[in-house]
Amino acid sequence: MTGLIRPARASSSYIWLLILAQFGIFVAFITPLAISLAVRLAVLAPANEEYLGYITGSGSVVVMIITPIIGILSDRTRSRFGRRRPWVLGGMLVGVVSLFVMGAAPSVFLLGAGWVLAQIGWGTSLAQVTTSMADTLPEHQRGKVAGFVGFATQVAPVAGVIIAGYLVGDALLMFLIPGVVGVVFVLLFVLFSREQDSRMMTFAEKLTFGSALGKYIFNPAKYPDYSLVWVGRFLFYFGLTLNTTFTAFFFASRLDVGVDKVAGVLATLSFVGIAATTIGALGGGWLSDKLRRRRLFVLVASLIFAAGVIMEAVATDVPMLFAGSLVASVGIGAFSAVDQALLLDVLPERDTDAGRFMGIAGFATAIPQAVAPFLAPLILVIGATAAGEKNYTLLYWVAGAITVIGGFVVMRIRSVR
């Protein structure tokens, strides 16, 4: 492909529009996942909480399949508005429709269909805004911007839950008002961010159905550093998912209380954890830009997360559990920011296939979130007591070890310091 020029530096206005767009998408998109779907499901199918897993799981599978193809199509989009903004806008419109469907759904099936539509719509907007970072940000700005984006995406779900909490009596508004926040900030991004006219682009080969499917895979030997980032990200999120899947049951076991008694503790911990994650994201992202190093910060983030997980594994009281969880949150924040910057640094075929490779990178997050919950119970039964007490200590040690391995994998990268 020929025809596009990369800017030497992204403007402050673009960066703020990018951060606000991601914030708005997360308010619109994560609020249903955090609270609205559960509230609506309790009305449509009382005492059938397991349906929530079916709904959210179906949405995750669909978005995992379609994200790379949308990235491939956006890479080849010719318009006076550029390659990404038309897809950001189109995704937002589909996302708005999905909120109406979920808010007015008379059945669990339509509620689930609405969530799948939300995953497609808002997920497309999010993916294309993120790919815009690959198109626009030079290396020296990637860590800092990724840190600010990480901060925004941590605050957004809290804001969404607060908004929805005041609207639980009105099913439609509970979905739509957070969506309005998303619409406003996405429109600001679409209308005021600058993107090059892509109508002059030319391509060496024609895109067919077969060639599009072929773009779902790539040759790791051809792109070794990208492959190492992919594996490192996969391992970190695999360990993270092992750590978080059974959090409520773990805390109940450690505190020797019923699961219904730990809700208040987890709510407080989640609120405080936002600050810890933000410190990790902003600090890690800024320092990685300042020192011009990525690999070491990814490794350190993995070690910090593992240290926090191990602290939780050996804890027997609330202060120790809180301390371990907060340390782990710092590691999560630092990893999310620096790993995102590192991915942008090594992204292959940036001018021609950025959307494709950003979509494939999403598999490194989505697959662990789908597989790890099935593996965790097998670990829990190893060394379980005769009374049926699960081996959470082993699970958390395994989670920490996997993330550390991921950090060392990233250290093998050669093209980035």
Side-chain angles (χ1 to χ4, degrees):
M1 183 200 77
T2 60
L4 296 179
I5 301 172
R6 188 174 309 283
R9 181 179 180 85
S11 67
S12 58
S13 61
Y14 166 80
I15 292 172
W16 280 110
L17 289 168
L18 173 77
I19 294 169
L20 290 174
Q22 297 233 19
F23 174 84
I25 292 170
F26 265 73
V27 170
F29 186 33
I30 302 301
T31 301
L33 187 60
I35 184 172
S36 306
L37 279 173
V39 171
R40 192 76 185 118
L41 186 61
V43 174
L44 295 176
N48 286 281
E49 294 90 345
E50 68 275 10
Y51 289 170
L52 183 61
Y54 303 148
I55 291 172
T56 58
S58 299
S60 297
V61 171
V62 170
V63 78
M64 184 172 66
I65 293 172
I66 70 166
T67 296
I69 190 62
I70 290 175
I72 293 166
L73 293 174
S74 76
D75 286 336
R76 304 173 72 93
T77 296
R78 298 184 181 94
S79 83
R80 59 176 296 202
F81 304 106
R83 296 183 291 173
R84 313 305 177 192
R85 288 190 296 169
W87 290 91
V88 173
L89 180 62
M92 182 205 74
L93 295 175
V94 173
V96 170
V97 172
S98 75
L99 299 177
F100 276 101
V101 172
M102 289 186 287
S107 67
V108 173
F109 177 80
L110 285 179
L111 182 66
W115 176 245
V116 170
L117 201 61
Q119 285 271 36
I120 295 171
W122 293 113
T124 295
S125 291
L126 180 61
Q128 294 307 303
V129 169
T130 304
T131 304
S132 173
M133 295 170 63
D135 295 338
T136 307
L137 295 177
E139 182 180 353
H140 66 276
Q141 289 183 298
R142 291 168 188 160
K144 179 176 67 175
V145 174
F148 278 112
V149 167
F151 167 73
T153 56
Q154 287 294 313
V155 174
V158 178
V161 168
I162 292 173
I163 294 170
Y166 283 106
L167 300 169
V168 290
D170 190 313
L172 190 58
L173 291 181
M174 182 173 60
F175 285 93
L176 291 183
I177 298 303
V180 170
V181 177
V183 168
V184 169
F185 288 131
V186 168
L187 285 178
L188 287 175
F189 179 83
V190 170
L191 294 174
F192 296 109
S193 67
R194 294 183 178 181
E195 187 177 355
Q196 294 179 61
D197 187 327
S198 60
R199 287 176 295 179
M200 79 293 293
M201 292 192 311
T202 59
F203 301 92
E205 59 181 23
K206 183 179 180 180
L207 183 67
T208 64
F209 179 76
S211 64
L213 288 180
K215 288 181 179 289
Y216 271 68
I217 59 176
F218 67 96
N219 183 357
K222 186 177 180 180
Y223 309 112
D225 286 351
Y226 174 81
S227 303
L228 290 170
V229 171
W230 196 98
V231 173
R233 174 177 284 204
F234 175 90
L235 291 171
F236 185 89
Y237 281 99
F238 203 101
L240 176 61
T241 306
L242 287 178
N243 170 247
T244 57
T245 299
F246 292 91
T247 298
F249 294 99
F250 168 71
F251 268 69
S253 174
R254 282 291 182 268
L255 301 178
D256 197 23
V257 297
V259 175
D260 58 327
K261 304 295 184 182
V262 300
V265 174
L266 293 179
T268 302
L269 184 58
S270 297
F271 185 77
V272 178
I274 292 173
T277 306
T278 299
I279 290 171
L282 294 179
W286 181 80
L287 283 172
S288 73
D289 276 351
K290 187 73 172 177
L291 301 178
R292 296 185 178 181
R293 292 183 179 274
R294 307 285 193 217
R295 298 179 304 162
L296 180 61
F297 279 95
V298 170
L299 175 60
V300 169
S302 301
L303 292 170
I304 291 173
F305 174 80
V309 168
I310 291 170
M311 288 173 64
E312 291 181 279
V314 300
T316 56
D317 54 29
V318 172
M320 189 69 169
L321 286 170
F322 265 52
S325 180
L326 294 179
V327 169
S329 294
V330 172
I332 293 169
F335 181 90
S336 63
V338 183
D339 178 71
Q340 181 68 35
L342 180 60
L343 173 64
L344 296 177
D345 289 344
V346 302
L347 198 69
E349 312 294 344
R350 187 183 306 274
D351 293 330
T352 58
D353 285 333
R356 169 200 174 191
F357 282 101
M358 291 295 288
I360 292 173
F363 288 150
T365 304
I367 295 174
Q369 291 173 343
V371 175
F374 293 98
L375 178 63
L378 302 179
I379 299 173
L380 287 172
V381 299
I382 299 174
T385 66
E389 184 177 346
K390 303 295 190 296
N391 195 348
Y392 287 104
T393 300
L394 177 61
L395 179 68
Y396 276 45
W397 274 92
V398 170
I402 290 174
T403 58
V404 170
I405 294 171
F408 278 107
V409 166
V410 168
M411 291 298 291
R412 296 175 57 86
I413 291 171
R414 292 292 175 262
S415 62
V416 179
R417 295 178 66 190

